[in-house]
Amino acid sequence: MARAGLTPEIVVDLAMAIIDEHGPAAVTLSAVAARAGVATPSLYKHVRSLAELTELVSIRVMDQLADRGFAAVAGRSGEDALRAYADAWRGYVKDHPGRYAAMIQTASPELSKAGQKLIDITLAALRSYGLEGEQAIHATRAFRAAVHGFVTIEAVGGFGLPYAIDESYHRLIGMVIGGLPKPV
Amino acid sequence: MARAGLTPEIVVDLAMAIIDEHGPAAVTLSAVAARAGVATPSLYKHVRSLAELTELVSIRVMDQLADRGFAAVAGRSGEDALRAYADAWRGYVKDHPGRYAAMIQTASPELSKAGQKLIDITLAALRSYGLEGEQAIHATRAFRAAVHGFVTIEAVGGFGLPYAIDESYHRLIGMVIGGLPKPV
DNA sequence: AGCGAAGGCTAATAGCATTAGCTTTTAAGC
DNA sequence: GCTTAAAAGCTAATGCTATTAGCCTTCGCT
């Protein structure tokens, strides 16, 4: 019988498809194996465990998020860059709420490397503010926390009526931006 | 043999103890039953399913959070009230990171009622700002998002070096407060 | 005392991750 | 082209999980 020709990357692809269709909780090795047309234990030739697979998924999601963010920030600066990044971030979550949910419920050393990309992009967007050291850290944390908090609540439908959510987000980002020193 | 004398409340108590000691992932009906000194299926006399138990746990956590918040806001107004609420919220998460993690990975209709308490407290803290309708909604969402985002990232150790985190939080809350119209 | 409900039990089922060990395919080197 | 060894698949088995069914016992009330 011909081989399925799996790789770790393809296994992650399949897991992502399951997340998109049925949510993060539906990601089991059985489900992935069924999609791959393979017996469950065969997956262990490509991933060490379910835990490793979910970690790889998280890294993939962070990378996708970073790609969108990077594209949004490129060629912009100051408030413009920050707002574009914030919108790109939220756009990704709205397009793929399951993926973001899958991402946030995993933590590991490997993951922090992927997460660093998101921080680096924030720093890049903040560059024109000329913040140094501690000031840059505070600004980055504030931006991350505001964006992540808003988008997380929205993804689980936590805002109740979906009334004027765009405007609420715009204002929150405006509060963060307004609390920064003026760009040089 | 004497009965264990369980109630749904006690079952939730035991689940909370497991969360505090071993994290949310360790909450299984087996583990709870072992702690209760009872066979696993006996728990079904008190909770309908594991899903219901985790939901009850989330509601309990939200209630505890609301109690702390209520106490913090009582007798304060304006910026003072908002900062006290923000500090109480974060204090709870620092005291019980596992509980907060357990809370955020559950969503259901029953839960939104408990979540409404947290929103009501925010509205109360905002009262002296005299915000009406849409303005109050935007302000509440911004506050929730900022607080929730920050404490969530902190709870998973997402800020890397634990350097000056108090100050970062203080500044973020300051950004939100600074973006509100002045209290009347 | 007796009766019914509530709270406990054991046994059984089904789904899950994981490990062990075997077989087949594939690709590389001669 | 043949050999060979690693890579990639398989089946079988283990042990954990939630859940259901059906039974027994304890408790509270009359």
Side-chain angles (χ1 to χ4, degrees):
Chain A
M1 185 165 59
R3 286 195 185 173
L6 295 179
T7 65
E9 289 69 33
I10 295 176
V11 174
V12 173
D13 288 344
L14 296 169
M16 299 272 286
I18 292 171
I19 289 171
D20 287 342
E21 290 175 32
H22 304 107
V27 176
T28 67
L29 291 181
S30 302
V32 173
R35 236 162 228 261
V38 128
T40 307
S42 303
L43 294 178
Y44 286 84
K45 300 289 179 178
H46 307 285
V47 294
R48 241 188 299 278
S49 64
L50 175 63
E52 194 197 47
L53 174 58
T54 60
E55 184 180 318
L56 292 174
V57 166
S58 293
I59 292 171
R60 171 80 65 85
V61 171
M62 279 190 185
D63 283 345
Q64 292 180 345
L65 196 50
D67 284 348
R68 276 216 198 186
F70 186 81
V73 165
R76 299 178 198 266
S77 70
E79 174 167 350
D80 198 27
L82 286 170
R83 287 203 181 272
Y85 188 26
D87 287 342
W89 193 314
R90 178 161 172 251
Y92 181 84
V93 180
K94 288 181 79 162
D95 289 348
H96 312 290
R99 296 187 196 176
Y100 200 76
M103 183 192 87
I104 64 184
Q105 59 195 38
T106 320
S108 84
E110 286 306 309
L111 232 120
S112 58
K113 203 176 65 181
Q116 187 60 42
K117 286 188 199 173
L118 297 172
I119 296 173
D120 288 343
I121 294 171
T122 311
L123 285 169
L126 283 165
R127 185 169 298 134
S128 60
Y129 285 85
L131 303 177
E132 299 277 334
E134 194 172 339
Q135 303 305 314
I137 291 178
H138 292 313
T140 305
R141 287 175 176 170
F143 183 83
R144 277 178 73 200
V147 170
H148 179 256
F150 192 97
V151 140
T152 299
I153 294 173
E154 184 182 10
V156 302
F159 283 136
L161 301 179
Y163 171 70
I165 292 187
D166 288 355
E167 172 67 14
S168 292
Y169 189 61
H170 192 262
R171 289 196 188 197
L172 171 61
I173 302 303
M175 288 171 173
V176 173
I177 291 174
L180 297 172
K182 290 287 168 230
V184 291
Chain B
M1 186 164 60
R3 288 194 184 175
L6 294 180
T7 64
E9 288 70 35
I10 294 175
V11 173
V12 172
D13 288 345
L14 296 170
M16 300 272 286
I18 292 170
I19 289 172
D20 287 341
E21 290 175 32
H22 305 106
V27 176
T28 66
L29 290 180
S30 303
V32 173
R35 235 163 228 261
V38 127
T40 306
S42 303
L43 294 177
Y44 285 85
K45 300 288 180 177
H46 306 285
V47 294
R48 242 188 300 276
S49 65
L50 174 64
E52 195 198 46
L53 174 57
T54 59
E55 184 180 318
L56 291 173
V57 166
S58 293
I59 292 172
R60 171 79 66 87
V61 172
M62 280 192 184
D63 283 346
Q64 291 181 347
L65 196 50
D67 284 347
R68 277 216 197 184
F70 186 81
V73 165
R76 298 178 198 266
S77 71
E79 173 167 350
D80 197 27
L82 287 171
R83 287 205 180 271
Y85 187 26
D87 287 341
W89 192 314
R90 178 163 172 250
Y92 181 85
V93 179
K94 288 182 78 161
D95 289 347
H96 312 289
R99 296 187 195 176
Y100 200 75
M103 183 193 87
I104 63 184
Q105 58 196 37
T106 320
S108 83
E110 286 306 310
L111 232 119
S112 58
K113 203 176 67 183
Q116 186 60 42
K117 285 188 199 172
L118 297 172
I119 297 173
D120 288 344
I121 295 171
T122 312
L123 286 170
L126 283 166
R127 185 168 298 133
S128 60
Y129 285 84
L131 302 177
E132 299 278 333
E134 196 172 337
Q135 303 305 315
I137 291 178
H138 292 313
T140 305
R141 286 175 177 170
F143 183 83
R144 277 178 73 200
V147 171
H148 179 256
F150 194 97
V151 301
T152 299
I153 294 173
E154 185 182 10
V156 302
F159 283 135
L161 300 179
Y163 172 71
I165 292 188
D166 289 354
E167 173 67 14
S168 291
Y169 189 61
H170 193 260
R171 288 197 190 196
L172 171 61
I173 301 304
M175 289 171 173
V176 173
I177 291 174
L180 297 172
K182 290 284 170 237
V184 290

